[in-house]
Amino acid sequence: MKKKIGLILLTLILAIGLLAGCGQQASEEEGAKDGGDAQATARTLEEIKADGKIRIGVFSDKNPFGYVDANGEVQGYDIYFAKRIAKDLLGDENAVEFVYVEAASRVEYLLSGKVDIILANFTVTDERKQKVDFALPYMKVALGVVSPEANLITDVSQLKDGTLIVVKGTTAETYFSEKHPEIKLLKFDEYQEAYDALLDGRGDAFSTDNTEVLAWAINNKGFKVGIESLGNTDAIAPAVQKGNTKLLEWLNAEIESMAGEQFFHADFEETLKPVYGENVDPESLVVEGGQM
């Protein structure tokens, strides 16, 4: 009888242990999805060199900074820079694997080691600095608001009883949530979804980086950027996993070294000027040598 009771107790203990292990695994998986504490070790600079490929996270739907063109090729200001990184680090501008990210997943892609660098219009903020390491800036930006010309939004107060479209995980979402909680936000995961919502009239306006809404309004008749600069002027910079010091140092040295050739002005001329024309002064956007 005692042996039978002991066997039952042992079975119960094993079952409880198995359930606890499953619960811990599920918790870790959920944490990874949410961009929590679950983390994989980033590849070092030497490991990237040995592999001969660098994985860079970019947008696929944020024209003209990172987007897929009609031929299925990824293009834009960030892409131009990413190819130069691959060329200078690995000797071939095609030695880059582009990984498409959404705004809200940029931190998680670094934490999980899915990419070596995030180069997706990543605004430097104090909150993000706690999770990733930013390199020197290569661009500066503020927020803008685009809306239909027939009902143009020229002041934030006009949105008090309206709906503002934003993309999750962006500085626009943070700014309006904190500064203007009275404004109803309609949130989307992807930029294309947000623009479609604006075109469909599901919101009164859309806010994101002013550089992008200016470009979008130029290509979409009937829409205009009524608020061209909102909030602070922020830095846009590459990011690596926190503690990936050698890769971070290499990136900083790369950005500093390109100042003499005015690399980012050339990037502007190649990828942004065809979109903006004379509507945007490159000095309002471009940062050379990491100096704001």
Side-chain angles (χ1 to χ4, degrees):
M1 183 68 177
K2 289 181 180 178
K3 287 182 178 180
K4 190 172 183 180
I5 293 172
L7 183 60
I8 292 171
L9 288 172
L10 180 59
T11 303
L12 285 171
I13 290 169
L14 289 172
I16 290 168
L18 181 60
L19 287 170
C22 291
Q24 181 180 1
Q25 181 180 359
S27 177
E28 288 174 353
E29 289 174 352
E30 190 62 33
K33 288 178 184 177
D34 295 340
D37 294 330
Q39 181 166 323
T41 303
R43 298 197 303 168
T44 65
L45 183 64
E46 292 307 315
E47 287 172 335
I48 293 168
K49 288 180 178 179
D51 181 46
K53 278 277 186 183
I54 185 163
R55 297 193 295 263
I56 299 181
V58 298
F59 285 129
S60 63
D61 61 350
K62 193 170 184 179
N63 188 350
F65 298 95
Y67 66 100
V68 177
D69 67 16
N71 297 316
E73 298 293 329
V74 63
Q75 305 283 358
Y77 187 81
D78 287 343
I79 310 309
Y80 190 95
F81 180 26
K83 289 181 177 180
R84 176 61 180 265
I85 288 172
K87 181 180 179 181
D88 289 350
L89 180 62
L90 301 171
D92 182 0
E93 69 170 25
N94 295 312
V96 54
E97 178 185 338
F98 290 113
V99 179
Y100 300 144
V101 299
E102 295 173 356
S105 69
R106 289 173 292 190
V107 169
E108 186 274 329
Y109 269 60
L110 282 176
L111 292 179
S112 60
K114 293 176 184 176
V115 298
D116 304 305
I117 299 170
I118 284 289
L119 204 63
N121 261 196
F122 211 9
T123 305
V124 179
T125 68
D126 290 337
E127 181 182 0
R128 289 169 179 168
K129 283 180 181 178
Q130 296 175 14
K131 300 176 182 178
V132 304
D133 284 338
F134 284 100
L136 293 171
Y138 63 98
M139 195 168 75
K140 54 191 173 185
V141 71
L143 294 176
V145 177
V146 61
S147 55
E149 286 185 292
N151 295 288
L152 190 63
I153 301 298
T154 58
D155 190 272
V156 172
S157 63
Q158 294 171 260
L159 291 165
K160 184 177 180 181
D161 298 316
T163 298
L164 177 67
I165 299 164
V166 296
V167 173
K168 296 176 186 177
T170 62
T171 50
E173 180 191 18
T174 302
Y175 177 84
F176 282 98
S177 296
E178 293 179 354
K179 304 292 186 183
H180 296 282
E182 75 280 6
I183 296 175
K184 179 184 175 182
L185 300 181
L186 179 58
K187 303 177 183 181
F188 293 94
D189 291 317
E190 298 181 2
Y191 282 91
Q192 190 56 56
E193 292 176 326
Y195 282 122
D196 288 344
L198 182 61
L199 288 167
D200 293 344
R202 282 175 277 163
D204 299 286
F206 172 49
S207 181
T208 188
D209 295 349
N210 57 1
T211 49
E212 190 198 339
V213 290
L214 284 165
W216 188 83
I218 289 170
N219 291 312
N220 288 270
K221 188 177 180 180
F223 291 86
K224 186 176 179 180
V225 179
I227 303 176
E228 292 192 2
S229 184
L230 188 65
N232 297 325
T233 298
D234 295 315
I236 301 288
V240 301
Q241 191 181 103
K242 192 163 252 327
N244 199 351
T245 309
K246 293 296 183 183
L247 180 57
L248 182 67
E249 290 174 348
W250 186 91
L251 271 174
N252 285 336
E254 173 80 345
I255 291 169
E256 288 176 333
S257 71
M258 294 190 293
E261 65 183 88
Q262 295 286 283
F263 172 81
F264 290 106
H265 279 80
D267 191 348
F268 180 95
E269 291 290 321
E270 179 72 21
T271 64
L272 302 186
K273 191 170 182 179
V275 176
Y276 292 131
E278 302 300 326
N279 293 308
V280 174
D281 179 2
E283 301 308 318
S284 69
L285 184 151
V286 172
V287 174
E288 295 285 4
Q291 301 299 312
M292 289 277 286

